[in-house]
Amino acid sequence: MLDKSAIEKLKEKYNTILKLTSDDQLTITYCKKPSFSTFLNYQKLYKDNPHEAILYLFEECVLEKRDFDDEFMLSSGNSIIAMVKKDSEFSIDSTPQKDEFKKSAAIIRHAFQVDPYQLSMDEFYKLLEEALWLQKHTETRLENTLVTAFTKTFSN
């Protein structure tokens, strides 16, 4: 079990730390949110073997390397997946379709000059929401400029 100072250091490094606890409260561990590339690997693995994919996701996110029983790892992995689904909900557009992830990553890379595959899922979706807002705002400004130009041109 980690002490408070170790947890604070982990929070500084990963921003968000998840505390996962077993039903009987005897097993506690701390996890980071998965990066975008980790989540894509999870999705690829899930097609062939959902059980192994969930274990992979847990092992990639857990911050304390020790032995856990399969039931705890699966339950924790499912909790991480539920948090990713929650993070993927935002107001401009609902979660991108499966083939839209690369387009989403490109939008983030272009707007913010960061590697979207290294971001945690919540950060990925926050930046995607902001990038889509910027894109929509830019299109609105361009549209208003064109309307003004046409008005001035044809009002004479």
Side-chain angles (χ1 to χ4, degrees):
M1 178 98 159
L2 299 173
D3 63 353
K4 287 187 179 192
S5 65
I7 293 170
E8 287 303 316
K9 287 179 184 176
L10 290 172
K11 283 183 180 179
E12 288 175 19
K13 184 175 181 179
Y14 298 110
N15 294 332
T16 304
I17 300 297
L18 311 171
K19 181 180 179 182
L20 302 172
T21 309
S22 63
D23 291 337
D24 59 8
Q25 305 290 319
L26 297 176
T27 307
I28 298 173
T29 191
Y30 294 90
C31 293
K32 63 182 179 179
K33 289 195 176 183
S35 68
F36 186 60
S37 59
T38 300
F39 193 71
L40 288 179
N41 289 336
Y42 155 77
Q43 286 184 322
K44 288 177 191 173
L45 291 172
Y46 191 85
K47 292 175 186 173
D48 296 328
N49 189 339
H51 178 83
E52 288 300 319
I54 294 170
L55 293 177
Y56 162 79
L57 187 64
F58 174 79
E59 289 169 0
E60 287 294 310
C61 296
V62 71
L63 297 172
E64 299 173 274
K65 301 298 182 192
R66 61 177 205 228
D67 290 332
F68 298 99
D69 64 27
D70 263 9
E71 185 179 329
F72 178 75
M73 291 169 54
L74 289 171
S75 173
S76 297
N78 283 324
S79 296
I80 293 168
I81 293 164
M83 288 179 207
V84 168
K85 286 181 181 177
K86 182 181 168 226
D87 291 338
S88 71
E89 297 170 1
F90 52 87
S91 60
I92 291 179
D93 194 4
S94 59
T95 306
Q97 302 301 324
K98 289 179 185 176
D99 33 325
E100 295 292 316
F101 279 116
K102 287 187 179 181
K103 292 178 187 174
S104 300
I107 290 170
I108 291 170
R109 187 179 302 108
H110 175 73
F112 300 107
Q113 309 300 311
V114 297
D115 181 4
Y117 294 97
Q118 300 306 315
L119 300 172
S120 65
M121 291 303 290
D122 62 332
E123 191 67 21
F124 177 88
Y125 283 110
K126 286 177 188 174
L127 289 180
L128 179 58
E129 182 176 18
E130 290 175 20
L132 289 173
W133 181 88
L134 286 170
Q135 191 176 37
K136 185 176 178 181
H137 180 71
T138 302
E139 289 171 1
T140 302
R141 284 183 34 211
L142 179 61
E143 185 179 304
N144 290 341
T145 302
L146 289 172
V147 167
T148 303
F150 280 127
T151 304
K152 287 182 179 179
T153 302
F154 295 112
S155 66
N156 291 335

